[in-house]
Amino acid sequence: MDESRRTFDTPIRERWNASIHHTLRAIDNHTALYLVTGLPWHEEKAKQLRQYVHELKTYILQQEGCIANK
């Protein structure tokens, strides 16, 4: 049995799931390193990756027809 928390998927989302998952892990790593080291570089990278995930999710919703293309 699949123990995944994901309960909704589409063919469009399916191809991006792994990339989003790994990017979220990278954000977590940068955030943790920022908290340990205080290096602003890690904070900036986490911010850039959050923006990327936001843009990617917006793109996915556009492709699915859930929101209007801009």
Side-chain angles (χ1 to χ4, degrees):
M1 178 174 191
D2 184 16
E3 296 290 328
S4 173
R5 290 178 283 174
R6 185 172 310 284
T7 58
F8 176 75
D9 208 0
T10 68
I12 293 170
R13 289 177 188 213
E14 185 177 11
R15 74 179 336 137
W16 294 106
N17 286 339
S19 296
I20 291 170
H21 173 77
H22 292 295
T23 305
L24 292 175
R25 289 190 63 193
I27 292 167
D28 290 345
N29 286 336
H30 279 295
T31 300
L33 285 168
Y34 172 69
L35 293 173
V36 169
T37 66
L39 293 173
W41 185 82
H42 289 294
E43 183 180 34
E44 181 60 29
K45 293 305 153 191
K47 179 180 175 183
Q48 290 171 355
L49 290 169
R50 281 187 206 97
Q51 182 63 35
Y52 168 74
V53 170
H54 172 75
E55 291 173 7
L56 180 55
K57 287 184 173 187
T58 299
Y59 168 78
I60 291 167
L61 289 172
Q62 288 171 342
Q63 295 302 301
E64 292 175 336
C66 296
I67 58 176
N69 289 324
K70 293 181 180 180

